[in-house]
Amino acid sequence: MADKWIIPKNWIPLVGQWEFSGNKTNLKGTGLTKNLGPLGLCLCNGRLKNGKISCKVTIMTEKDVGKPGQVKVVFGYDSTTKQYYGIGIRAWENAFAFQKFIPKYGHVYLTGDGDKNIIELKKEYLLEVIIKGNKVSLYVDNILILNYILEEPLLGDQIGLFTWEDVEIEISDYKYFSDDPVFVIMKLGDVEPYFSLYKDVIEPICKDFNLNVVKGDELFSEHGVILTEITNRIDESRFIIAEISPPNPNVFYELGYAQAKKIPTILLALKDNQKDNQLPFDVQGNRVIFYEDSIKGKNAVERDLKKYLDNLVNGGTIQE
């Protein structure tokens, strides 16, 4: 990822008592909120579905020693459903934890590590959250602590902060950058017309949308297990583009893996005017961009791919 950090300009509290000044965010007490408990939640103007969030966190005081405070980075907040994820310091019995908030159900524990009692008061912790497609990682003081694969892509893209219990915290240097990876599934090698489709159409259009695009044979594995690198890249991708014209087993294996992960997918297929362009049964229910191997066909697939990507990048779904 290229580190193009952005510092949020605006913050707004949703629950709790927050004070904002410059690049420092201070919580002076969350208060008790009916039905939600001692919850603090605030959002900033930053938005991302893939990228990195970084901040420094210090728990200054805790009113109840038996109920140690929690501080988490919020991401994936959806303003319609009010669903979001929180990852950071403490939850349940863990020093570091990852949880999901579902309205009417509450906070759902996803994973964690470490004993909650190791967290020190007045000690500054650097939290770094990396989101790559369905994969979420937490680094604390530059050490990888948690890795988790979500069952589905993020619903929302708003980010912020979360606390639990009656605590006073200080947050500083909150910043983020967005990074959108796209993985292309197609027949490998310099086989035409698929290679030209990738180099002349898919790659430049993705770059126009500031998407980081790569296909399978551009990956490298130190261990020689390229399939592992491919599935890792699929897990990290915001979108998948799949060219499915040749009945290639690898293509359909990777496509099936991506769809099982519920990653949004755009399908491309070469039009054969001598045949009825019947697709395999497994993908007949998907929308497909059919294209011709010609100058006219190139213009058409460029137009349709741009339309599909525009819908996805701007938070919509694939539409006709």
Side-chain angles (χ1 to χ4, degrees), residues 123-135:
K123 173 180 170 59
E124 184 178 80
Y125 294 92
L126 172 63
L127 302 184
E128 296 173 296
V129 182
I130 299 177
I131 304 143
K132 295 182 177 180
N134 286 25
K135 183 179 179 181

Side-chain angles (χ1 to χ4, degrees), residues 288-303:
V288 181
I289 300 174
F290 286 100
Y291 66 95
E292 297 178 356
D293 184 19
S294 64
I295 295 177
K296 179 181 178 181
K298 178 177 180 290
N299 293 335
V301 73
E302 284 178 339
R303 180 193 66 236

Side-chain angles (χ1 to χ4, degrees), residues 106-302:
H107 292 94
V108 179
Y109 175 83
L110 298 178
T111 190
D113 203 357
D115 185 335
K116 66 180 182 181
N117 295 314
I118 68 171
I119 300 300
E120 300 178 31
L121 293 182
K122 299 184 179 180
K123 173 180 170 59
E124 184 178 80
Y125 294 92
L126 172 63
L127 302 184
E128 296 173 296
V129 182
I130 299 177
I131 304 143
K132 295 182 177 180
N134 286 25
K135 183 179 179 181
V136 180
S137 302
L138 172 67
Y139 287 78
V140 180
D141 294 337
N142 299 309
I143 299 172
L144 176 61
I145 302 296
L146 300 176
N147 262 331
Y148 191 86
I149 304 296
L150 301 174
E151 294 183 354
E152 58 187 10
L154 296 178
L155 187 62
D157 62 359
Q158 292 180 264
I159 60 176
L161 291 166
F162 164 93
T163 65
W164 187 260
E165 299 301 348
D166 196 359
V167 297
E168 181 179 332
I169 67 168
E170 288 188 355
I171 308 287
S172 62
D173 296 334
Y174 191 106
K175 56 188 178 181
Y176 70 96
F177 66 82
S178 182
D179 179 75
D180 286 322
V182 174
F183 186 69
V184 176
I185 299 171
M186 61 170 28
K187 188 175 179 65
L188 302 181
D190 299 344
V191 180
E192 295 294 354
Y194 314 113
F195 181 73
S196 293
L197 175 71
Y198 175 71
K199 297 302 292 185
D200 298 339
V201 176
I202 297 174
E203 191 175 50
I205 288 177
C206 284
K207 289 181 178 179
D208 286 344
F209 281 91
N210 295 316
L211 301 170
N212 297 326
V213 63
V214 69
K215 65 187 183 84
D217 51 3
E218 294 177 340
L219 299 176
F220 171 77
S221 174
E222 295 179 351
H223 309 290
V225 186
I226 189 64
L227 182 59
T228 300
E229 296 298 325
I230 288 174
T231 54
N232 285 341
R233 182 69 188 204
I234 291 173
D235 284 334
E236 296 173 355
S237 294
R238 181 174 177 184
F239 312 126
I240 299 294
I241 298 174
E243 210 297 333
I244 59 173
S245 300
N248 187 293
N250 288 345
V251 167
F252 280 91
Y253 175 87
E254 294 164 21
L255 176 60
Y257 181 86
Q259 293 189 331
K261 295 289 186 177
K262 300 181 181 179
I263 300 172
T265 304
I266 299 173
L267 303 183
L268 306 175
L270 185 61
K271 184 183 295 185
D272 189 339
N273 294 323
Q274 304 302 315
K275 299 180 180 180
D276 60 1
N277 297 303
Q278 186 73 17
L279 295 172
F281 173 79
D282 305 66
V283 295
Q284 284 182 8
N286 293 271
R287 292 187 176 94
V288 181
I289 300 174
F290 286 100
Y291 66 95
E292 297 178 356
D293 184 19
S294 64
I295 295 177
K296 179 181 178 181
K298 178 177 180 290
N299 293 335
V301 73
E302 284 178 339

Side-chain angles (χ1 to χ4, degrees), residues 16-87:
Q17 300 174 16
W18 298 81
E19 294 180 7
F20 309 100
S21 58
N23 190 29
K24 178 167 285 191
T25 305
N26 296 308
L27 176 69
K28 294 300 184 183
T30 59
L32 297 176
T33 304
K34 187 177 180 181
N35 298 327
L36 293 179
L39 168 68
L41 178 64
C42 64
L43 299 175
C44 69
N45 64 305
R47 304 171 79 99
L48 65 79
K49 283 195 173 182
N50 290 267
K52 186 174 181 180
I53 306 168
S54 174
C55 63
K56 296 174 182 176
V57 175
T58 306
I59 299 179
M60 301 302 294
T61 63
E62 295 177 321
K63 299 295 178 64
D64 190 337
V65 177
K67 297 179 179 179
Q70 302 178 26
V71 187
K72 294 185 178 66
V73 172
V74 166
F75 64 93
Y77 184 92
D78 180 69
S79 59
T80 301
T81 66
K82 314 307 178 187
Q83 175 179 298
Y84 62 86
Y85 292 91
I87 190 168

